[in-house]
Amino acid sequence: MRVVVVGSLNIDYIASVKRLPAAGETVAATGLVQRSGGKGANQAVAAARQSARVSMIGCVGADDAGRAYCERLRAEGIDITGVSSTRKALTGTALIAVDQAAENIIIVAAAANGELKPAALRAQQKRIASADILLLQLEVPMPTVIEAVRIANRAKVPVVLNPSPLRDGFPWGKCELDTLIANAGEAQAIFGLRLDNLPAGLAKWQRALARRRIERLIVTQGAEPTLCLSGAGYLKVPTLLVRPVDTVGAGDAFTGAFAARRAGGADILGAIRYANCAGALATLKAGAQEAIPRRVGTEKALKRLT
């Protein structure tokens, strides 16, 4: 189960609020904590906790926060040989507000993540080529993401892309993706199609996937069933019912668990069911990485889902 993750490493500052502010409004926080985050590192931790052999490729600041972060990843059993440091910027930072209904808003300052250049990926070609899965998001520069995908395509390594935060510039159709994992809003924005008319609109989705050279699209919908669309049809996969405390990082827990399971040879349905459990369990604790479940807990939850 060899997973290579190319992505961001952030320090998260999480404020608890009674309600999320409207534009131009100030609200008082009832608490503030510091956590380790970044979609890339979150997904790397999620895959590692499902027993995958994970290598992280990213960039942190040449500061105490960056060094501490690398030690944290090493303690998770993640290979950090591909994590570089820079004096040009501080370690990436995310500012997060979470309300009493467990909804959140997030502001991300890329900082050192923006210094991860395509040349750094070319230096890691052998690492990527030896992976069972390459996992990416969009919190590092787009040219770096594209270079990673091209390296994996040449080596016939399946690519799983979580296109978040959604940005322009990805060359849809000019490279191959094994799996695209997106929420409903992201999926509809990328394809310009609606999800509420399935199965009647399935053929349009299938043609859109083929044009973009995407093998399958997985759409997460919170507590609603997860969708999987491909040339073979579509699936609706039930989620695990829980009472959420904090939804931060749930999508990353899903994505990392899915990548780990697929790297281990699981079929699509089995990998999605498993990832649904991991994502649900991640909502039961505060924080992103702190809440990500381990393999034993996820397997127990899978039995409940079954």
Side-chain angles (χ1 to χ4, degrees):
M1 294 164 57
R2 296 169 298 177
V3 178
V4 171
V5 181
V6 177
S8 58
L9 303 94
N10 289 331
I11 304 300
D12 292 349
Y13 293 94
I14 306 171
S16 299
V17 295
K18 290 183 178 180
R19 61 181 178 80
L20 299 177
E25 183 183 16
T26 299
V27 298
T30 58
L32 178 68
V33 295
Q34 177 183 323
R35 308 285 191 194
S36 298
K39 296 190 71 66
N42 290 349
Q43 293 177 17
V45 169
R49 289 187 183 173
Q50 300 301 335
S51 301
R53 292 172 54 192
V54 179
S55 295
M56 180 81 202
I57 300 175
C59 185
V60 295
D63 48 34
D64 291 342
R67 287 185 285 273
Y69 206 143
C70 287
E71 288 304 312
R72 178 182 177 85
L73 294 181
R74 186 181 287 115
E76 293 281 352
I78 296 171
D79 183 348
I80 60 168
T81 308
V83 178
S84 58
S85 64
T86 179
R87 296 187 179 279
K88 295 181 180 179
L90 298 173
T91 298
T93 301
L95 307 175
I96 303 169
V98 182
D99 70 11
Q100 292 179 328
E103 294 300 324
N104 65 80
I105 56 173
I106 305 174
I107 300 172
V108 177
N113 295 307
E115 297 301 318
L116 184 65
K117 305 299 185 183
L121 273 295
R122 289 191 286 273
Q124 299 292 330
Q125 287 189 68
K126 290 184 179 179
R127 187 182 306 277
I128 294 171
S130 67
D132 294 308
I133 291 285
L134 173 67
L135 177 56
L136 306 112
Q137 318 77 33
L138 298 182
E139 285 189 336
V140 296
M142 189 63 76
T144 303
V145 172
I146 295 168
E147 184 67 19
V149 173
R150 287 174 174 164
I151 292 170
N153 284 174
R154 289 195 295 269
K156 306 300 182 184
V157 173
V159 177
V160 176
L161 174 64
N162 174 213
S164 182
L166 191 58
R167 296 160 49 196
D168 294 331
F170 189 82
W172 305 105
K174 295 183 179 179
C175 51
E176 296 181 9
L177 299 178
D178 178 84
T179 305
L180 186 73
I181 300 177
N183 62 35
E186 291 164 342
Q188 291 175 143
I190 291 169
F191 293 92
L193 297 170
R194 294 171 54 184
L195 287 163
D196 59 4
N197 64 342
L198 292 175
L202 178 60
K204 290 182 179 180
W205 280 96
Q206 290 173 321
R207 289 193 292 271
L209 287 169
R211 285 195 300 271
R212 291 165 177 78
R213 299 173 68 188
I214 300 169
E215 183 70 19
R216 68 187 54 83
L217 166 66
I218 294 175
V219 184
T220 57
Q221 303 186 106
E224 296 299 314
T226 300
L227 301 177
C228 179
L229 293 79
S230 70
Y234 83 102
L235 302 170
K236 294 178 70 173
V237 187
T239 58
L240 183 70
L241 294 179
V242 296
R243 183 171 295 177
V245 173
D246 179 0
T247 59
V248 173
D252 294 334
F254 175 99
T255 301
F258 175 85
R261 211 66 169 178
R262 284 292 287 164
D267 62 26
I268 293 297
L269 177 59
I272 295 174
R273 288 171 60 83
Y274 192 87
N276 276 347
C277 291
L281 293 177
T283 69
L284 299 180
K285 297 179 181 178
Q289 291 177 21
E290 291 76 12
I292 291 172
R294 297 187 181 276
R295 182 172 181 173
V296 171
T298 309
E299 289 178 343
K300 287 182 179 178
L302 184 62
K303 293 178 181 178
R304 289 164 48 199
L305 183 61
T306 302

